[in-house]
């Protein structure tokens, strides 16, 4: 299979100004519009939704950064490529002045997205370079950019490698199961996001239970199980809401600078009671509802127990991207989590 004329022209256009682009004259948005969008259009994807499909059935979802506060951003993948509304792979775009082949944080970013969403493969590209990552391997912030990278092309190779790229990432190939077939040919290694997160919250539960039992001697076993479960549930719920743009980003992380973290968490929990009016946050007596939780906010929990939990939910410690973790995966994790009981 030969590369289409549109790709040859795209490569020539990029090559003619490559030195200028490498200095930063081309930003990420321009890179996406001028080079990455037409590249995937040549692979058969309706990148700009010219077919005017409904949101559910768009080939490609462009998910821009959510600006939260203090110039911080909760990032989501630049492109989500889908078939029938089901995610198949992510593409994270960078500008040509970023060295995609060696940039550790960019590689960690795209791997974190793909691993959290339980995808087999995802792509990091600035058009000059095109890196494909095996997202079944749990990412670590200290991994080199080459870790879990299974393919890496320079733009000068696109013509010669076009058939290989097309047979893996074109819409036609993906519809025919190319990604699933490719994943089957590679030995799966590492831990999946659901198993890793379950291990994480089980560790938190043990540490929380030990600290609560030690600092609150009058507590009984039923109360201890309820307090531990609800504390973890509330923290994780608020953290997921942050990544999905519902809560202020890093509001939990900012508590790490304060003393008496659990007291500060209590204020967030009470605010959430007014905001969501749900059983997860129920501290006021209301007609027609079960009795409120009138004891967990009065517990004593040490900062040294809460800090590691909160840190593990944020970069650079966290491998989890809650904006893309499927809801059903979180449900499966919690089903197993709730099936276990703490004994004094």
């Amino acid at each position: 299979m030969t590369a289409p004329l549109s790709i040859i022209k795209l490569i020539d256009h990029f090559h003619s100004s490559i030195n200028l682009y490498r200095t930063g004259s081309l930003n990420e948005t321009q890179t996406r519009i001028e080079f990455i969008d037409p590249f995937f259009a040549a692979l058969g994807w309706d990148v700009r939704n010219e077919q005017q499909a409904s949101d559910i059935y768009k080939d490609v979802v462009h998910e821009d950064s959510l600006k939260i506060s203090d110039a911080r951003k909760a990032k989501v993948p630049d492109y989500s490529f889908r078939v029938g509304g089901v995610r198949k792979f992510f593409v994270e775009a960078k500008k040509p002045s970023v060295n995609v082949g060696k940039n550790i944080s960019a590689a960690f970013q795209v791997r974190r997205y793909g691993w959290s969403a339980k995808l087999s493969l995802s792509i990091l590209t600035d058009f000059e370079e095109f890196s494909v990552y095996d997202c079944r391997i749990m990412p670590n912030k200290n991994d080199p950019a080459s870790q879990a990278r299974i393919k890496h092309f320079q733009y000068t190779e696109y013509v010669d490698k076009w058939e290989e790229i097309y047979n893996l990432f074109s819409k036609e190939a993906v519809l025919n199961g190319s990604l699933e077939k490719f994943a089957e040919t590679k030995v799966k290694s590492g831990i999946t996001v659901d198993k890793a997160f379950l291990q994480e919250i089980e560790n938190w539960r043990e540490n929380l239970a030990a600290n609560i039992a030690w600092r609150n001697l009058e507590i009984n076993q039923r109360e201890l199980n309820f307090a531990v479960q609800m504390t973890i549930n509330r923290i994780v719920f608020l953290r997921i809401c942050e990544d999905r743009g519902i809560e202020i980003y890093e509001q939990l992380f900012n508590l790490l600078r304060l003393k008496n973290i659990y007291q500060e968490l209590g204020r967030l929990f009470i605010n959430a009671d007014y905001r969501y009016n749900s059983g997860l946050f129920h501290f006021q007596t209301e007609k027609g509802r079960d009795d409120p939780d009138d004891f967990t906010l009065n517990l004593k929990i040490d900062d040294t127990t809460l800090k590691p939990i909160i840190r593990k939910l944020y970069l650079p410690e966290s491998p989890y991207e809650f904006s893309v973790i499927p809801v059903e995966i979180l449900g499966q994790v919690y089903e197993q989590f709730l099936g276990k009981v703490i004994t004094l």
Side-chain angles (χ1 to χ4, degrees):
M1 174 185 287
T2 57
L5 182 61
S6 62
I7 289 296
I8 296 172
K9 288 182 176 179
L10 205 61
I11 292 169
D12 290 342
H13 174 42
F14 186 84
H15 186 74
S16 66
S17 303
I18 187 170
N19 292 328
L20 193 62
Y21 294 156
R22 284 173 176 169
T23 64
S25 67
L26 197 71
N27 63 32
E28 183 180 309
T29 301
Q30 292 168 324
T31 305
R32 290 169 62 174
I33 294 171
E34 291 188 31
F35 296 102
I36 298 175
D37 285 4
F39 182 89
F40 282 97
L43 289 169
W45 296 98
D46 186 4
V47 179
R48 298 180 181 176
N49 195 28
E50 294 176 1
Q51 299 298 319
Q52 297 183 349
S54 65
D55 288 346
I56 298 174
Y57 295 109
K58 285 180 180 177
D59 275 6
V60 183
V61 176
H62 301 260
E63 299 174 288
D64 294 330
S65 302
L66 272 171
K67 188 171 182 181
I68 307 300
S69 62
D70 300 327
R72 292 191 178 99
K73 295 180 179 180
K75 279 283 289 177
V76 288
D78 291 318
Y79 300 83
S80 177
F81 285 77
R82 311 185 306 174
V83 171
V86 178
R87 288 179 181 136
K88 290 299 182 178
F89 62 93
F90 289 137
V91 173
E92 183 63 18
K94 298 298 176 186
K95 56 187 178 181
S97 59
V98 174
N99 189 332
V100 164
K102 296 182 179 179
N103 192 292
I104 291 175
S105 80
F108 177 60
Q109 185 180 20
V110 71
R111 290 178 59 205
R112 187 169 175 258
Y113 292 148
W115 181 76
S116 293
K118 289 195 81 171
L119 301 179
S120 297
L121 302 173
S122 283
I123 296 165
L124 174 65
T125 184
D126 59 355
F127 190 79
E128 182 180 358
E129 298 177 84
F130 187 97
S131 295
V132 181
Y133 285 94
D134 185 339
C135 294
R136 297 169 299 172
I137 301 171
M138 185 175 179
N140 183 288
K141 62 185 176 73
N142 297 318
D143 287 341
S146 58
Q147 182 72 20
R149 187 170 65 200
I150 55 176
K151 290 183 182 294
H152 182 76
F153 304 120
Q154 297 288 335
Y155 77 100
T156 51
E157 299 177 278
Y158 292 161
V159 171
D160 291 338
K161 300 288 187 179
W162 184 251
E163 184 171 4
E164 183 179 350
I165 296 170
Y166 188 91
N167 288 340
L168 188 55
F169 289 111
S170 71
K171 183 177 179 180
E172 179 186 16
V174 172
L175 279 169
N176 289 325
S178 62
L179 300 182
E180 290 79 6
K181 293 173 185 175
F182 182 84
E184 290 172 1
T185 65
K186 298 291 181 179
V187 178
K188 187 175 180 180
S189 58
I191 185 171
T192 57
V193 64
D194 49 343
K195 292 180 180 178
F197 193 54
L198 179 60
Q199 289 180 8
E200 202 82 69
I201 61 176
E202 285 180 342
N203 183 53
W204 298 344
R205 178 174 56 184
E206 290 180 13
N207 294 336
L208 265 177
N211 189 251
I212 291 173
W214 176 58
R215 298 283 281 141
N216 305 270
L217 298 178
E218 72 287 351
I219 200 168
N220 63 42
Q221 183 169 306
R222 184 191 64 79
E223 291 171 335
L224 179 61
N225 275 275
F226 179 79
V228 170
Q229 177 184 317
M230 293 304 284
T231 301
I232 292 175
N233 287 357
R234 289 164 181 164
I235 290 173
V236 172
F237 175 83
L238 291 177
R239 180 65 187 90
I240 291 171
C241 287
E242 287 185 21
D243 264 5
R244 301 198 177 205
I246 302 168
E247 290 284 338
I248 297 172
Y249 188 60
E250 290 193 343
Q251 63 175 350
L252 293 172
F253 187 79
N254 290 334
L255 300 183
L256 297 177
R257 296 177 292 185
L258 307 176
K259 293 182 179 180
N260 300 318
I261 291 175
Y262 190 65
Q263 183 178 340
E264 300 299 328
L265 273 173
R267 293 191 177 96
L268 293 181
F269 294 164
I270 291 171
N271 288 337
D273 188 8
Y274 292 115
R275 185 178 176 93
Y276 301 108
N277 192 30
S278 72
L280 188 57
F281 306 98
H282 178 32
F283 308 111
Q284 306 294 326
T285 301
E286 296 179 42
K287 186 177 180 180
R289 295 188 67 184
D290 294 336
D291 292 337
D293 171 8
D294 58 1
F295 90 98
T296 59
L297 295 185
N298 298 315
L299 293 171
K300 296 177 182 177
I301 305 177
D302 290 331
D303 290 355
T304 52
T305 300
L306 292 169
K307 282 183 177 181
I309 295 174
I310 294 174
R311 283 199 186 99
K312 194 65 177 181
L313 293 171
Y314 289 92
L315 291 171
E317 300 298 325
S318 174
Y320 312 106
E321 176 54 56
F322 294 104
S323 66
V324 299
I325 296 179
V327 174
E328 60 271 19
I329 289 179
L330 291 171
Q332 291 166 8
V333 168
Y334 269 88
E335 185 178 354
Q336 297 178 66
F337 173 56
L338 297 176
K340 299 184 180 181
V341 177
I342 298 166
T343 56
L344 283 169

